[in-house]
Amino acid sequence: METFNTRYSEKVMEHFKNPRNVGEIPDANGIGNVGNPICGDIMRLYIKVENERIVDAKFKTFGCGAAIATSSMVTELVKGKPIEEALRISNRAVAEALGGLPPIKMHCSVLAEEALKSAIDDYLKKKEKSAA
Ligand code: FES
């Protein structure tokens, strides 16, 4: 008899149950807002950048378990990284850091990559504006 199996790795379940860096950064200098057109889930990612390095990251996600776990992992992955390096973090890298995602849930990790890129983009635009 088949037992109930979530098909999620232990790490995904752990980040889902105990997500890191949930919340807002009041003085964030980059905010990314994205929505997943497939399921309607939404993610907001806040970053604090100092000297071109992400010193803090927090998120608020209204979404599935994989969206919560990938949000949590992406904030962990970017903290302390120069923005150039953070820009190279792919959804696949986020999923891999979580021990993989079921193929049907890979689209959820795209949300995390897009939220990060959107937050960095917001930071760069604000920086450009303040330099103008
Ligand atoms: Fe919507 Fe996972 S099902 S992000």
Side-chain angles (χ1 to χ4, degrees):
M1 195 178 80
E2 208 183 348
T3 53
F4 176 71
N5 184 348
T6 62
R7 294 179 298 142
Y8 284 125
S9 72
E10 263 175 43
K11 215 159 184 185
V12 171
M13 291 307 287
E14 206 271 308
H15 274 261
F16 170 58
K17 287 184 194 151
N18 181 25
R20 325 295 198 264
N21 311 308
V22 177
E24 295 177 20
I25 300 178
D27 60 343
N29 42 16
I31 301 175
N33 284 303
V34 290
N36 189 323
I38 300 172
C39 60
D41 291 350
I42 50 175
M43 188 181 288
R44 177 174 289 179
L45 190 72
Y46 300 81
I47 54 170
K48 174 87 185 149
V49 183
E50 278 170 16
N51 301 321
E52 302 307 295
R53 188 177 288 272
I54 299 175
V55 292
D56 200 8
K58 286 198 192 300
F59 77 92
K60 278 186 165 175
T61 293
F62 182 82
C64 72
I68 307 278
T70 51
S71 304
S72 170
M73 183 49 86
V74 83
T75 55
E76 287 284 271
L77 288 177
V78 298
K79 274 211 230 172
K81 283 218 164 56
I83 50 172
E84 248 177 58
E85 224 178 283
L87 271 173
R88 289 199 293 269
I89 295 176
S90 65
N91 72 304
R92 214 154 269 285
V94 178
E96 268 164 27
L98 284 165
L101 279 172
I104 199 169
K105 302 303 278 184
M106 273 310 279
H107 73 269
C108 315
S109 63
V110 173
L111 206 56
E113 179 186 326
E114 284 178 353
L116 173 62
K117 298 218 157 110
S118 156
I120 293 175
D121 201 44
D122 183 48
Y123 163 74
L124 294 172
K125 277 192 187 130
K126 280 179 181 147
K127 195 176 100 173
E128 222 171 81
K129 252 192 207 164
S130 66

